[in-house]
Amino acid sequence: MTLLRSPRNPILTRADIPAVLPDFGDVTSVFNPGAIHDGGRTLLMLRVQSRGRRTALVMAESDDGERFTVHGSPVVFRGVEGAGEKLHHLYDPRLTRIGDTVYVVFAADTETGCKLGVGSTKDFETFDFIGLGSHPDIRNGVLFPEKMGGRFVRLDRPNRSALEGGVTSGDEIWLSTSSDLVEWKPERAVMGGRWHYWDERIGSGPPPVKTRQGWLHLYHGIATHFASVSIYQVGAVLLDLTDPSKVLARSWNNILEPRELYELMGQVPNVVFPGGMVVERRDADGFALPESRVLVYYGAADSCVGLASTTVGELLGACDGPA
Ligand code: BMA
């Protein structure tokens, strides 16, 4: 199976972004959004880059999940100045609702490495900074939508190795837990990269979705064995409901790969990078229904935003290989 691209793709480009800050006119790129459904509307948190290569997180909202209106000012996390570190960029946000609070887990480039920060909001207008974890170099953090054993649970991806060009990446997704969203305890490795194939290096995509079969999770896989470029693709994995560090099944093939021009060419070519996943229908106990439509929001070539859809059942079917 493959995700079906929206005919309106790319659904957001740099031309859609207002000047959210004084020197943010004529921005360079908008990509890697987080997404969440909220009372009939879909909200995206966009990563916007200026020509000065500064980063702003900006909200956008939509009634139909495809046509978005971008807010006129950036997200400001109240209290972020107390982080204790110079934060150069906050980026690649993932949004998770727990109770009446929506948490944002984001990567933060600091002088001492890439950290994972957490913020929260209840109304998408005011945002509070909660903390930066102490892990010195880590990215791709996603929070599960419920606590387990009284603790917050997160998938994350320690950055292990430096790629050519100075970019760091990793090949293992871990499960970590926390009582306060600030101090995180790495518990167990969940899955590793499959060397020589499509997902040699990996990182979590959108937050996991609860189904009767297990936690359904999308991740990005990077093929690094091509001479001139790394190829970022999307795959699916099913994690055990009670022990989400256990992989039940994982897709043999990617379910989305760069094929369209806006995915193949841009600031970083050959990238599809999923950060948001909206499931439209759940049963009374909160499990996603197999027939429910799923909308996946992804960054394309680190330049614009794409939308692709499928159903929960199709994604479960895509998890057709071993861990
Ligand atoms: C990763 C992250 C993403 C980016 C991707 C492709 O390492 O930095 O933000 O989209 O590389 O450049």
Side-chain angles (χ1 to χ4, degrees), residues 8-54:
R8 302 181 61 86
N9 267 2
I11 59 161
L12 282 164
T13 71
R14 58 183 206 81
D16 299 306
I17 309 302
V20 294
L21 284 169
D23 59 351
F24 262 69
D26 184 29
V27 296
T28 298
S29 52
V30 49
F31 57 111
N32 296 6
I36 201 145
H37 204 235
D38 179 65
R41 54 182 186 155
T42 304
L43 290 134
L44 299 182
M45 188 181 281
L46 307 167
R47 172 180 177 183
V48 176
Q49 257 181 2
S50 74
R51 293 177 67 161
R53 303 280 176 233
R54 287 172 60 208

Side-chain angles (χ1 to χ4, degrees), residues 38-211:
D38 179 65
R41 54 182 186 155
T42 304
L43 290 134
L44 299 182
M45 188 181 281
L46 307 167
R47 172 180 177 183
V48 176
Q49 257 181 2
S50 74
R51 293 177 67 161
R53 303 280 176 233
R54 287 172 60 208
T55 308
L57 296 176
V58 183
M59 298 301 298
E61 59 184 88
S62 166
D63 291 331
D64 64 4
E66 293 202 41
R67 278 163 266 249
F68 282 86
T69 306
V70 182
H71 288 193
S73 52
V75 170
V76 175
F77 290 101
R78 293 189 301 200
V80 74
E81 59 284 354
E85 296 208 53
K86 168 89 180 140
L87 304 178
H88 294 289
H89 302 281
L90 307 185
Y91 60 101
D92 295 358
R94 271 72 162 206
L95 308 182
T96 300
R97 185 190 310 281
I98 305 182
D100 65 350
T101 302
V102 171
Y103 294 98
V104 186
V105 183
F106 50 84
D109 281 351
T110 75
E111 293 287 308
T112 56
C114 183
K115 307 272 171 72
L116 273 176
V118 183
S120 71
T121 185
K122 288 188 198 291
D123 57 9
F124 304 102
E125 298 293 336
T126 52
F127 293 81
D128 290 299
F129 177 67
I130 295 177
L132 274 191
S134 55
H135 194 293
D137 203 13
I138 191 165
R139 205 163 31 221
N140 297 308
V142 299
L143 206 53
F144 282 78
E146 55 190 63
K147 288 183 170 180
M148 295 178 215
R151 290 173 71 78
F152 293 101
V153 183
R154 180 177 90 179
L155 297 172
D156 49 48
R157 205 290 310 283
N159 298 334
R160 288 271 162 72
S161 33
L163 302 179
E164 263 181 68
V167 179
T168 51
S169 184
D171 65 354
E172 260 183 359
I173 293 175
W174 277 68
L175 186 125
S176 305
T177 66
S178 172
S179 60
D180 61 2
L181 296 165
V182 182
E183 289 309 318
W184 289 89
K185 175 171 176 251
E187 301 279 358
R188 281 172 296 282
V190 176
M191 58 194 272
R194 293 183 283 206
W195 287 93
H196 308 286
Y197 301 99
W198 75 267
D199 51 353
E200 297 181 291
R201 296 187 186 278
I202 54 174
S204 278
V209 167
K210 197 175 180 180
T211 75

Side-chain angles (χ1 to χ4, degrees), residues 201-231:
R201 296 187 186 278
I202 54 174
S204 278
V209 167
K210 197 175 180 180
T211 75
R212 294 274 171 198
Q213 284 73 21
W215 290 104
L216 180 59
H217 185 46
L218 302 186
Y219 67 101
H220 66 262
I222 312 165
T224 65
H225 54 277
F226 294 89
S228 60
V229 77
S230 292
I231 305 172

